[in-house]
């Protein structure tokens, strides 16, 4: 007969009981998900770096660390890094 390894958390064998019967497991799963969401949201996206304005005129401003504001004409060409 083959023996299978069973994950244990406290008195609960994870493969033998539904999760709702193991409140400690649910708390741990929720904790891990919250930590994952916190770190994934904080990484975010960085603003593009402007290499040069090829043609036309553009007013480029960084009002704060999370905002890039570009006021440019319809025919302005901007290269980004």
């Amino acid at each position: 007969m083959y023996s299978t390894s069973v994950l244990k958390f406290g008195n609960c064998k994870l493969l033998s009981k539904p999760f709702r019967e193991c409140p400690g497991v649910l708390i741990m799963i929720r904790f891990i998900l919250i930590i994952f969401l916190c770190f994934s949201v904080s990484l975010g996206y960085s603003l593009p770096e402007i290499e040069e304005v090829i043609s036309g005129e553009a007013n480029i401003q960084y009002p704060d660390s999370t905002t890039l504001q570009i006021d440019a004409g319809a025919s302005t060409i901007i290269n980004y890094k």
Side-chain angles (χ1 to χ4, degrees):
M1 196 160 184
Y2 296 100
S3 68
T4 59
S5 60
V6 177
L7 298 173
K8 289 186 177 183
F9 187 84
N11 293 329
C12 295
K13 294 179 182 176
L14 298 182
L15 299 178
S16 63
K17 290 185 178 182
F19 282 145
R20 67 179 176 274
E21 295 181 20
C22 300
V25 173
L26 290 177
I27 292 170
M28 184 61 74
I29 290 172
R30 288 178 186 153
F31 176 76
I32 291 170
L33 287 174
I34 289 170
I35 295 298
F36 176 75
L37 289 174
C38 288
F39 282 111
S40 65
V41 170
S42 66
L43 296 177
Y45 296 102
S46 62
L47 295 174
E49 295 179 29
I50 298 186
E51 187 172 306
E52 64 179 319
V53 177
I54 299 295
S55 69
E57 293 184 17
N59 182 13
I60 301 163
Q61 298 176 355
Y62 292 90
D64 57 48
S65 63
T66 61
T67 305
L68 169 62
Q69 182 178 354
I70 302 173
D71 296 318
S75 62
T76 301
I77 301 173
I78 301 172
N79 278 346
Y80 297 95
K81 287 184 181 181

